[in-house]
Amino acid sequence: MKKGQSLIELLFAIAFAGITILVLFTGFVTSREGKAQESQRLLAIPLLRETQEAVRVVREKNWNTFAVNGTYHPVIVSNTWSLVSGTETINTFTRSISISDVSPFDPSTKKVIATVSWTTPYSSSVSSTTYISRYLGNATWVQTTEVDFNAGTKTDVAVANTA
């Protein structure tokens, strides 16, 4: 063995051990932080799903009250969901619903972004973007009687009362 070879091998071993320990330590810290974030995410997802369901209920109930642009949060009023202006804080979570017009403009479609955010242990959020349109009884024009249908000017149109 040459002089100094053992010293170089020892320095390489120490450097390798130092890098390995640093990588392992970083992995443990990241894993610990990730578990805390995942725990918060698991609690936030049911709130997000509840928010999405509230949006659908309000849309089905009355399109005209639903289709107003702004930031809202869901509340239960008289055993049904309603939207109230502003955000809502539930424990460590903040949830909101942002309703806006779509582009190109369509009065029968709205863009809805539901968000649940938190600040502890680290700031983060989950959100979903949904495009909601008029639904069933929320049609803009309903002609229920022959009199409703006959109002206005018609050209080459015959009205048959089948009711």
Side-chain angles (χ1 to χ4, degrees), residues 19-155:
I19 291 171
T20 303
I21 289 172
L22 182 62
V23 168
L24 288 174
F25 180 73
T26 302
F28 287 134
V29 170
T30 303
S31 173
R32 184 170 180 242
E33 291 173 359
K35 285 183 182 179
Q37 280 295 83
E38 184 60 25
S39 174
Q40 290 293 86
R41 186 175 306 279
L42 287 174
L43 294 172
I45 288 175
L47 282 174
L48 181 66
R49 289 189 179 140
E50 180 182 67
T51 304
Q52 293 168 322
E53 184 60 27
V55 165
R56 286 184 186 89
V57 168
V58 172
R59 181 266 319 254
E60 290 172 13
K61 193 169 45 172
N62 187 343
W63 175 262
N64 294 329
T65 58
F66 166 77
V68 178
N69 293 345
T71 301
Y72 303 92
H73 69 274
V75 295
I76 294 180
V77 177
S78 300
N79 295 322
T80 189
W81 286 109
S82 291
L83 298 181
V84 176
S85 186
T87 62
E88 173 185 37
T89 301
I90 302 171
N91 298 325
T92 60
F93 299 100
T94 300
R95 78 173 164 179
S96 66
I97 301 165
S98 173
I99 300 174
S100 60
D101 293 328
V102 296
S103 181
F105 180 70
D106 175 6
S108 294
T109 305
K110 291 291 184 175
K111 179 180 180 181
V112 178
I113 301 173
T115 304
V116 177
S117 60
W118 60 93
T119 57
T120 56
Y122 306 100
S123 294
S124 192
S125 66
V126 291
S127 65
S128 75
T129 301
T130 310
Y131 292 89
I132 303 283
S133 59
R134 291 181 188 271
Y135 180 76
L136 296 177
N138 285 319
T140 57
W141 182 288
V142 178
Q143 297 166 329
T144 57
T145 66
E146 187 176 352
V147 172
D148 288 341
F149 190 79
N150 278 325
T153 306
K154 299 179 287 301
T155 304

